[in-house]
Amino acid sequence: MAAAAAMAEQESARNGGRNRGGVQRVEGKLRASVEKGDYYEAHQMYRTLFFRYMSQSKHTEARELMYSGALLFFSHGQQNSAADLSMLVLESLEKAEVEVADELLENLAKVFSLMDPNSPERVTFVSRALKWSSGGSGKLGHPRLHQLLALTLWKEQNYCESRYHFLHSADGEGCANMLVEYSTSRGFRSEVDMFVAQAVLHSASVVFTTYTQKHPSIEDGPPFVEPLLNFIWFLLLAVDGGKLTVFTVLCEQYQPSLRRDPMYNEYLDRIGQLFFGVPPKQTSSYGGLLGNLLTSLMGSSEQEDGEESPSDGSPIELD
């Protein structure tokens, strides 16, 4: 039994070696064609080999060949051929139901970084890559892939899209550093607080802390000179406390700052629903965030007769 198992293992190793050797020989021929400038012929041969390998369930060989081919075409400025092979890399991952691994995510991010930022293929590629990386969980993509994409977009100074991916990664510190650069290079001095406000209302407090500590135009705090930064600081405390009355007063007191960007109230609507039990938007005479807050407060007042409310003579004072 032991001898038979050993023989089988040796045979498997020999077959694996032959397969790798065969792939390497094919890669050598294809590389020679590309080096000679026979781009079209090489591209068609890559596609033929891909479908041949896939039909034989040689998914790994197909993926690795397409990845190396994409890098080769990118190095010769053949964006269309490279993008096409990059899509085949994704197809092999999708059909083979390969488990997500760091090496695969890094390969996808590498291909993404080499694509023309303005090409429509790049948009399709990143959408499919994120969907695959979620593993069918319905989430918005693997945090590590989001981080790698964010770093590439940051290098390209595409700050808006970089921020989106950072906010879906686990790299709060990286997000803050990117926002500092974004603010100092693209923003006005009067907007120093606005760059971080959207991010904080959509992610974790580490972004706010790192941003306020490292930004050269922000003085030590809290409290801060900028009212909007104080609002964010109080908001983070309010989320921890979970008191709807505090959240309501906070939003009322800082309305002048919140009106600087219409998106803020949409974010606060969502925060109110998630952390303070504010009902979803409904048509009412009040309307908007404050209408939802008032509706919730009136409902809670009727249900919680024994709960102590703040005295009218002692308003909450916020800087």
Side-chain angles (χ1 to χ4, degrees):
M1 292 289 291
M7 291 178 62
E9 185 175 343
Q10 291 174 358
E11 181 64 21
S12 176
R14 283 194 295 270
N15 289 335
R18 283 195 294 269
N19 287 336
R20 285 191 295 273
V23 171
Q24 290 173 356
R25 285 193 296 273
V26 169
E27 282 185 315
K29 292 180 180 179
L30 291 171
R31 181 176 294 275
S33 294
V34 174
E35 296 291 349
K36 288 190 299 183
D38 296 334
Y39 302 126
Y40 178 79
E41 292 80 1
H43 182 195
Q44 295 306 310
M45 183 57 67
Y46 270 109
R47 291 184 59 85
T48 299
L49 289 171
F50 173 80
F51 292 110
R52 181 182 300 171
Y53 281 145
M54 292 296 288
S55 67
Q56 298 171 356
S57 297
K58 295 180 179 179
H59 301 127
T60 300
E61 290 87 345
R63 182 179 70 250
E64 292 178 351
L65 184 61
M66 294 305 103
Y67 177 68
S68 65
L71 296 183
L72 182 60
F73 277 118
F74 277 127
S75 69
H76 284 76
Q78 300 299 304
Q79 280 283 331
N80 291 337
S81 295
D84 181 59
L85 298 192
S86 299
M87 294 297 183
L88 294 180
V89 170
L90 278 175
E91 185 174 330
S92 70
L93 292 171
E94 293 163 348
K95 291 186 175 180
E97 300 181 352
V98 180
E99 291 187 4
V100 176
D102 282 347
E103 181 181 0
L104 296 176
L105 296 177
E106 290 168 3
N107 289 348
L108 294 177
K110 174 69 173 178
V111 167
F112 173 81
S113 71
L114 295 172
M115 285 184 174
D116 180 356
N118 299 315
S119 67
E121 291 83 5
R122 198 188 208 198
V123 176
T124 304
F125 178 83
V126 75
S127 176
R128 286 178 60 183
L130 287 169
K131 183 177 181 181
W132 169 79
S133 73
S134 67
S137 64
K139 296 181 180 179
L140 296 175
H142 196 284
R144 173 60 174 160
L145 181 56
H146 275 295
Q147 180 193 31
L148 294 169
L149 297 174
L151 291 171
T152 291
L153 292 163
W154 181 6
K155 290 178 182 177
E156 297 172 356
Q157 297 185 333
N158 188 340
Y159 297 113
C160 289
E161 290 192 25
S162 176
R163 178 177 60 186
Y164 169 81
H165 289 290
F166 266 127
L167 292 176
H168 290 90
S169 74
D171 189 2
E173 184 173 354
C175 182
N177 288 326
M178 182 277 296
L179 288 173
V180 169
E181 181 181 310
Y182 188 12
S183 171
T184 55
S185 63
R186 300 286 178 85
F188 295 102
R189 174 65 183 83
S190 60
E191 297 174 336
V192 62
D193 50 348
M194 295 179 67
F195 279 83
V196 71
Q198 290 181 345
V200 170
L201 294 177
H202 198 70
S203 68
S205 62
V206 65
V207 178
F208 177 75
T209 302
T210 306
Y211 183 88
T212 54
Q213 287 177 349
K214 293 192 174 184
H215 200 292
S217 300
I218 297 178
E219 298 179 5
D220 291 341
F224 301 95
V225 174
E226 297 83 5
L228 192 56
L229 295 181
N230 287 324
F231 169 78
I232 297 169
W233 177 48
F234 283 124
L235 178 62
L236 294 171
L237 296 176
V239 168
D240 286 338
K243 290 288 186 179
L244 178 59
T245 51
V246 175
F247 181 61
T248 305
V249 172
L250 187 61
C251 292
E252 290 175 341
Q253 292 287 327
Y254 282 92
Q255 273 302 301
S257 295
L258 296 175
R259 281 196 291 267
R260 292 170 64 189
D261 188 329
M263 290 298 297
Y264 292 161
N265 277 332
E266 292 189 25
Y267 293 143
L268 290 171
D269 267 322
R270 185 60 178 156
I271 290 172
Q273 294 169 32
L274 291 173
F275 299 105
F276 301 96
V278 178
K281 280 188 175 181
Q282 296 178 354
T283 302
S284 69
S285 57
Y286 297 103
L289 170 68
L290 294 180
N292 289 334
L293 292 173
L294 291 171
T295 300
S296 181
L297 281 172
M298 288 187 290
S300 63
S301 297
E302 294 172 359
Q303 295 175 8
E304 301 175 9
D305 297 332
E307 183 174 342
E308 186 177 351
S309 60
S311 170
D312 291 339
S314 303
I316 298 176
E317 296 184 0
L318 300 173
D319 188 294

